[in-house]
Amino acid sequence: MTHVVTENCIKCKFTDCVDVCPVDCFREGPNFLVIDPEECIDCAVCIPECPANAIYAEEDVPADQVHFIELNAELTPVFGMINRSKDPLPDADNWNGVPDKLQHLER
């Protein structure tokens, strides 16, 4: 099992989750984070740290977000590792909770 970053992370990119990860499984793109499914140890410490509620255990990903399981795996080798938190995107609070953000994902 792994954990998955879903759509609400797009254009928010809060990184509170990164600091608590014991295995550095997060990868960072321009406006989105992903979890490397090969590195994630399924500890779940990242879930409560995400202010956007964008992280789920693979088996708990909402039905309309299941495609993010594949997207996390696809983008893992493309995005660079992040192992320390940083400031969220400048307008993250405005984007938190906005539906249908996939078209805004930058690779």
Side-chain angles (χ1 to χ4, degrees):
M1 287 298 155
T2 188
H3 283 74
V4 179
V5 181
T6 59
E7 186 171 38
N8 203 40
C9 183
I10 298 171
K11 295 199 65 85
C12 290
K13 201 170 85 169
F14 295 106
T15 57
D16 307 59
C17 52
V18 172
D19 281 335
V20 299
C21 181
V23 294
D24 297 335
C25 68
F26 283 91
R27 304 295 181 261
E28 177 186 26
N31 69 350
F32 184 60
L33 298 176
V34 297
I35 293 174
D36 181 341
E38 299 297 320
E39 295 292 326
C40 180
I41 60 170
D42 200 30
C43 68
V45 297
C46 56
I47 293 174
E49 298 302 317
C50 179
N53 296 315
I55 302 173
Y56 294 87
E58 184 176 358
E59 65 271 13
D60 296 331
V61 172
D64 66 334
Q65 301 283 302
V66 169
H67 55 284
F68 278 89
I69 297 170
E70 272 188 42
L71 191 60
N72 275 241
E74 174 189 327
L75 294 176
T76 289
V78 177
F79 289 176
M81 186 176 67
I82 178 173
N83 58 12
R84 293 185 196 268
S85 63
K86 54 174 71 171
D87 291 336
L89 295 175
D91 56 352
D93 289 328
N94 296 333
W95 283 95
N96 192 1
V98 173
D100 303 319
K101 296 193 290 185
L102 186 56
Q103 72 269 14
H104 299 288
L105 175 65
E106 297 174 28
R107 295 173 184 246

